[in-house]
Amino acid sequence: MRISCIGGGPAGLYFALLMKQQNPAHEIEVLERNKPGDTFGWGVVFSDQTLTAMREADAKTAEQILDAFNHWDDIEVHIKGQTLRSGGHGFCGIGRMKLLNILQARCLELGVNLRYESDVQDDVGLDADLIIAADGLNSRVRQKYAATYQPDIDLRQCRFVWLGSAKLFEAFTFDFQQTQWGWFQAHAYRFDDTTSTFIVEAPQSVWEAAGIEAMSKEEGIAFCERLFAKVLDGHKLISNAAHLRGSAQWIRFPRVVCKNWIHHNGKAPVVLMGDAAHTAHFSIGSGTKLALEDAIALARDIGEAQGDLGLALPRYVASRSIEVLRIQNAARNSTEWFENIERHAKLEPEQFAYSLLTRSQRISHENLRLRDSAYVDRFEAWLAGGQAVPPMFTPFKLRGLTLKNRVVVSPMAQYSCVDGLPGDYHLMHLGARAAGGAGLVFAEMTCTSADARITPGCPGLYTDEQGAAWASIVGFVHANSSAKIAIQLGHAGAKGSTRRAWEGIDQPLVDAEQNWPLISASPQQYLAGLSQASRAMTRADMDRVLADFCAATVRAAGAGFDWLELHCAHGYLLSSFISPLTNQRSDEYGGSLENRLRYPLEVFKAMRALWPAEKPMSVRISAHDWVEGGTTSDDAVLIAAAFKAAGADLIDVSSGQVSKLEKPTYGRMWQTPFSENIRNRVGIATIAVGAISEADHVNSIIAAGRADLCAVARPHLANPAWTLSEAARIGYKGPAGLDWPLQYLSAKPQLEKEFERQRAQAGQGAASEAANKALGV
C-alpha cells in the first residue's frame, strides 16, 4: 500500500511508523512544509491511558517517550492569596520538539520517507492508495473539501498565548490574577529538566480592555511577567513564535468538529486525522492524545481489515468519532469554565479550587477521593463547617425551613388521579420516597383548575376535597419521616387535554368529546397537525387563571406543604409567555423579555403574598429552549433575576420541552451548567436537574457550587430508598443528613456490608491493574 501523510506532526509521524511496522512493504511518505527542527508550542501532556495504548501499538516508541517524560502528581491552585494543593493526578509532560524527534527517528529507523520543506497545498499530484490529511488546525485539505467534511469551527471567547519559562514548576500550576480589567489566568507545568510551559489566558473583553492588542510582542510578554511575577519567582517568559509580530501570538482557540472525516477524490480516500479532524481545548491536555490515538485506531483497523480500506475506514470513523465527541464534550465544559472565571471567583478559594478540579465532569468527587483522600476529607470538613460529611448530606436552610440533605425527589407525573383527586396511590408513592432518605419530596405538577390539567389523570388543587386529600398525604409524610414535602403548581396551557403517558405522550384524547379547550400566550399547536390548537389568552382569562393560582396557593398552605413551586417551564402556560417561540403577542405581554415576563411575575407575586412568609417558594424555568430563536442561557439569567427580585428563594433549573423542534445535547448532568450559570451570576439558590443518577454526581455538583440541591427523577422511580442506598454505596453511615426509618434499620448493616464488599473487590481490581501497568503488562 502506498500512503502519503500530509503533515509531519505527531499524528502523521505516528501513523506512518505504525503502518511501516505493520508491513515493511508499505511505501509511506510524510510531507512536512517546515524544517525538521521547527516547532511551535512547548510541552504536551499525556495520560496513562494513552501510554498504555502506545505500548500495545509500538512498545519501543512508547518506552522512548516514557523515558523522556517529566512526571508529577500534584495540582496547585493560586487564587486570592491562597495556595490550594491536591495530589494523585498522575500527569506526564514532554517537550513537543522532543516528542517529534523521537517519532522522526523511529520513522527513519523503520524506513518511512520523511520529506521536509515540502509545502504540499493539497492532495493533487499525490500518487497514493491512501492520503492522510494531518495538516493541523488550519488544514488546507479540510478547507478544500469543506463541502465533504462539513467542519464546524467555533472560536472560543478567551485569548491565550503559549509561552515558556525556565521556572521549573513541580506541580501543575494554575495562577489566577485579578486586575482592573478583569481576570487573567496562567496554566503552567514543567516538561523537561530546564523548561516549563506557561500559557496565559483571558476573556477577549478583558484582553482588549488591558490594551494587549496594541502591544508589541515584547511588551505583551513583559505585561505577563509583571502580572505573574510572584509565581514566576523572577524568571522570564520566552516565546518561540519568531514568525509572529505584535499581538498575533495571542489567539482564540478554535473548536473544530467535522461531520465527515473521509473524502473520496476519485483515486484515493483522503482521511482527516488529529487537529485537522477535531480539536480539544488545551485546558484538558488532550490534543496530542487524540492525534496519537487516531493514528493507533486507523492503523489497527487497516490491519484487522487486511488492508481493505472499504472496511477499515468506516470502522475508524465510527469508533473514533464517539471517543472524540466524549473528549470534546469534556473539553467544552473545561473551556467554558475558564471563560467564566469572574463568575467562579465569587466562590471561596476552597470551593473555587474544587470547582476547577472537577470542571470537565470527567473527574468526580469519588474520583478525587481515590486520587487524594486527605484533600477530600479537608474539603468536606471545610464545606460542612466541622466534621467531614459528603456534600450531599449537608443540611440546607431556606427561610424558616431546613432540609436534612441536598437530595430532592423530582416532581414526576404519575397520571393516577380521578377528577384531580390524589388517593392511596399518591400516599404510597410520596410516602415511600419520603421514607427513602431524601431531604425534600415534590408532588407532581398539580393543576389549578380542571382545564389546567395535562391529562385526565393529573392531580389538582382546585377543590376543597382535593385540599383535604393532599393534607392527609402531607400529614403522613410529616408523621413518618423527617423529609419535607413540596407542591408544584402549574397550568398545562397548549400542552393540555392529552392522553396519559403510557397511552401516547402528548397525543390528544381519543374521544374528541372529552377534550377541553386550551389557552396559551398565543395561538399554538404543540404537535403540528395533531394536537388540539390553543387560543390566545384574553385579559379576562388572565384574571381567572391568576385567581385559580391564588386559590390553589391558599389550599396548599392549608394542606401543610413545606415548600411551594410555580411551574414556568417546559412549554406549559406560564412558560408559553416567557419563550419567544410561543409568545407572539403584540400587547404589553409580548415582545421584549421584560414584557413576556410580565404575566408570570404577576402570578408569582400574587402567590408569594399569600404563601406563608417563613416558607420557601421556588420557580421552575426552562433555561434553554434548544431551538434557534428561543430562550438562551443568558436569557435564563435575566429570567431568574426577575423572579429573585419578585421574592423567589430558589430557581429550579430545567430546559427544553417548549418546542418539538428542540435539539438538546444530552449527557451526564447535562443541565447542570445552566444551574451554575444562574446560581453564580444571579446570586440565588438553585436546583440542578437532568441525568443526575449517582451520589457521586450529587456530591460533585454541591461541592463545586453548581447548585444547592439536586433533583433526582427516574432513579427514585426505580428505587424509592435511593438516598439510603447511595449512602451505603459510598460508605457513608451517617448520622448527619441521613436517617433510616426505625422499621427498616435491620436492613442497614446488611446493605452496608454488601457495598463494602463490592468496594473492596473494585479496589483489588484497581490495585491489580496498577501493578500490571507498573510491570508494563
Side-chain angles (χ1 to χ4, degrees):
M1 185 184 297
R2 293 167 301 169
I3 303 172
S4 291
C5 297
I6 305 173
L13 290 170
Y14 198 52
F15 178 72
L17 73 86
L18 290 178
M19 289 302 296
K20 194 68 174 175
Q21 176 186 251
Q22 186 180 110
N23 186 348
H26 288 324
E27 298 177 18
I28 305 175
E29 62 178 0
V30 175
L31 307 163
E32 170 57 43
R33 61 178 173 173
N34 295 308
K35 298 176 181 178
D38 290 345
T39 188
F40 310 99
W42 295 89
V44 295
V45 179
F46 285 178
S47 68
D48 289 342
Q49 180 185 6
T50 303
L51 284 174
T52 299
M54 292 181 72
R55 281 197 189 97
E56 294 172 355
D58 178 23
K60 185 172 183 178
T61 302
E63 291 307 314
Q64 290 176 3
I65 292 173
L66 186 61
D67 289 343
F69 267 138
N70 183 71
H71 297 263
W72 68 94
D73 282 327
D74 292 354
I75 291 178
E76 269 193 1
V77 180
H78 302 266
I79 178 76
K80 297 179 182 177
Q82 291 196 40
T83 297
L84 300 108
R85 192 175 183 120
S86 67
H89 299 283
F91 290 103
C92 301
I94 186 173
R96 181 176 170 82
M97 191 69 256
K98 180 65 175 177
L99 173 63
L100 291 177
N101 289 161
I102 291 171
L103 297 178
Q104 291 164 353
R106 185 77 172 121
C107 280
L108 292 173
E109 178 185 332
L110 292 168
V112 175
N113 180 19
L114 302 183
R115 293 172 53 190
Y116 294 99
E117 299 182 76
S118 297
D119 193 9
V120 178
Q121 299 292 323
D122 52 33
D123 58 315
V124 174
L126 297 181
D127 185 16
D129 302 305
L130 173 65
I131 298 171
I132 301 298
D135 52 342
L137 178 62
N138 300 309
S139 170
R140 289 180 287 192
V141 174
R142 186 185 67 220
Q143 183 176 358
K144 178 180 179 180
Y145 298 123
T148 297
Y149 297 128
Q150 298 182 51
D152 179 8
I153 302 176
D154 176 24
L155 278 180
R156 300 307 308 176
Q157 298 174 20
C158 284
R159 289 273 180 173
F160 71 95
V161 59
W162 204 294
L163 303 170
S165 175
K167 165 70 184 287
L168 299 180
F169 292 89
E170 296 303 324
F172 199 116
T173 301
F174 294 100
D175 191 82
F176 298 88
Q177 294 295 328
Q178 187 175 23
T179 71
Q180 65 192 83
W181 309 288
W183 287 89
F184 283 79
Q185 59 256 13
H187 313 234
Y189 56 91
R190 174 181 175 177
F191 62 83
D192 63 24
D193 293 337
T194 62
T195 319
S196 296
T197 294
F198 199 93
I199 303 170
V200 180
E201 184 183 26
Q204 173 81 14
S205 59
V206 175
W207 181 81
E208 290 175 350
I212 299 176
E213 187 172 15
M215 295 180 187
S216 67
K217 180 163 66 176
E218 294 72 22
E219 288 171 337
I221 292 174
F223 174 90
C224 294
E225 288 174 347
R226 291 191 300 272
L227 188 57
F228 296 101
K230 185 175 180 180
V231 75
L232 284 168
D233 291 331
H235 289 82
K236 295 292 185 180
L237 291 174
I238 313 160
S239 171
N240 66 359
H243 61 299
L244 298 176
R245 296 289 181 269
S247 61
Q249 63 181 342
W250 291 82
I251 63 174
R252 292 168 62 190
F253 186 85
R255 180 178 184 267
V256 177
V257 180
C258 290
K259 185 174 182 180
N260 300 308
W261 294 9
I262 302 170
H263 174 77
H264 295 278
N265 65 8
K267 295 185 295 182
V270 184
V271 182
L272 297 180
M273 186 175 288
D275 282 353
H278 45 69
T279 60
H281 193 259
F282 59 82
S283 63
I284 66 166
S286 291
T288 304
K289 158 195 164 66
L290 289 176
L292 295 174
E293 290 177 352
D294 282 353
I296 292 170
L298 182 53
R300 179 199 63 221
D301 290 338
I302 291 174
E304 291 179 352
Q306 299 181 343
D308 186 340
L309 297 180
L311 290 176
L313 296 185
R315 290 179 186 173
Y316 163 68
V317 174
S319 64
R320 288 303 296 155
S321 59
I322 294 173
E323 172 64 12
V324 166
L325 180 61
R326 185 180 70 83
I327 296 296
Q328 285 189 317
N329 285 340
R332 183 193 64 238
N333 293 336
S334 181
T335 306
E336 291 177 352
W337 194 94
F338 283 104
E339 290 173 342
N340 293 285
I341 296 301
E342 183 175 0
R343 180 197 314 166
H344 306 304
K346 295 176 182 177
L347 302 171
E348 292 298 317
E350 291 84 355
Q351 195 166 40
F352 177 91
Y354 181 98
S355 178
L356 185 154
L357 293 173
T358 58
R359 66 193 180 278
S360 71
Q361 297 186 5
R362 295 169 71 197
I363 297 176
S364 67
H365 193 73
E366 292 307 312
N367 186 267
L368 272 181
R369 194 188 303 279
L370 288 174
R371 295 172 183 229
D372 189 345
S373 60
Y375 166 79
V376 173
D377 287 344
R378 290 193 305 272
F379 177 78
E380 286 186 348
W382 171 84
L383 190 67
Q387 187 176 0
V389 175
M392 69 185 286
F393 293 112
T394 56
F396 178 66
K397 189 175 188 302
L398 208 57
R399 293 199 181 228
L401 183 72
T402 299
L403 303 180
K404 63 183 177 182
N405 61 47
R406 307 301 184 99
V407 180
V408 176
V409 176
S410 297
M412 295 175 284
Q414 299 297 293
Y415 312 110
S416 298
C417 290
V418 176
D419 295 328
L421 187 68
D424 290 344
Y425 174 83
H426 287 80
L427 180 68
M428 177 277 297
H429 170 69
L430 295 170
R433 280 142 192 89
L440 180 66
V441 176
F442 262 99
E444 64 202 272
M445 186 179 97
T446 301
C447 305
T448 55
S449 61
D451 62 351
R453 292 175 297 167
I454 309 167
T455 76
C458 290
L461 196 47
Y462 47 86
T463 70
D464 291 339
E465 185 183 9
Q466 292 164 353
W470 281 119
S472 177
I473 293 169
V474 170
F476 180 87
V477 168
H478 287 160
N480 293 279
S481 77
S482 57
K484 305 302 180 184
I485 184 166
I487 190 164
Q488 183 189 72
L489 294 179
H491 188 300
K495 296 176 73 173
S497 191
T498 63
R499 305 174 200 175
R500 294 171 174 84
W502 50 83
E503 297 169 343
I505 192 166
D506 293 327
Q507 301 290 318
L509 297 175
V510 176
D511 186 347
E513 293 182 0
Q514 293 181 353
N515 283 297
W516 53 84
L518 303 179
I519 53 175
S520 55
S522 300
Q524 185 188 346
Q525 191 176 33
Y526 183 63
L527 292 181
L530 186 62
S531 294
Q532 188 184 172
S534 63
R535 64 172 176 81
M537 290 179 74
T538 64
R539 183 63 249 186
D541 293 323
M542 293 183 193
D543 291 340
R544 176 178 63 83
V545 169
L546 175 61
D548 290 341
F549 271 102
C550 289
T553 300
V554 172
R555 288 193 176 97
F561 281 101
D562 303 300
W563 183 303
L564 175 63
E565 180 163 287
L566 177 62
H567 203 322
C568 294
H570 301 165
Y572 296 127
L573 182 71
L574 297 180
S575 169
S576 75
F577 277 87
I578 297 172
S579 174
L581 298 176
T582 50
N583 186 337
Q584 306 299 320
R585 299 177 73 99
S586 58
D587 61 7
E588 66 270 32
Y589 295 99
S592 68
L593 178 58
E594 180 181 7
N595 283 356
R596 300 198 308 272
L597 277 167
R598 192 183 303 272
Y599 183 62
L601 287 172
E602 284 180 16
V603 174
F604 176 86
K605 290 175 182 177
M607 294 169 66
R608 179 70 264 187
L610 295 168
W611 185 244
E614 72 277 8
K615 293 186 177 184
M617 187 169 170
S618 58
V619 182
R620 172 166 272 210
I621 68 169
S622 287
H624 202 298
D625 287 345
W626 300 104
V627 177
E628 185 73 27
T631 299
T632 67
S633 57
D634 286 337
D635 294 327
V637 169
L638 300 176
I639 294 166
F643 279 109
K644 178 186 177 183
D649 302 297
L650 179 143
I651 304 297
D652 188 353
V653 188
S654 187
S655 72
Q657 300 182 52
V658 171
S659 167
K660 281 296 185 182
L661 300 177
E662 67 181 8
K663 294 181 180 179
T665 302
Y666 294 110
R668 289 182 309 149
M669 302 175 282
W670 62 287
Q671 297 182 105
T672 301
F674 300 133
S675 167
E676 181 180 25
N677 187 37
I678 289 171
R679 181 184 189 270
N680 296 325
R681 287 177 66 183
V682 178
I684 188 171
T686 59
I687 298 178
V689 308
I692 299 170
S693 59
E694 302 173 10
D696 205 13
H697 296 165
V698 179
N699 282 325
S700 300
I701 291 168
I702 301 303
R706 297 186 173 109
D708 298 274
L709 299 170
C710 289
V712 179
R714 290 176 177 85
H716 269 131
L717 289 180
N719 180 5
W722 181 88
T723 305
L724 300 179
S725 180
E726 286 299 293
R729 188 186 304 278
I730 64 174
Y732 179 64
K733 298 182 180 181
L738 189 69
D739 55 342
W740 280 67
L742 295 176
Q743 300 90 331
Y744 297 169
L745 269 177
S746 60
K748 184 173 184 283
Q750 182 178 350
L751 184 66
E752 290 170 345
K753 286 180 182 178
E754 172 58 23
F755 281 124
E756 185 176 348
R757 183 186 65 80
Q758 292 180 18
R759 289 194 302 274
Q761 288 180 340
Q764 291 170 0
S768 175
E769 183 179 352
N772 287 337
K773 283 184 178 179
L775 295 170
V777 178

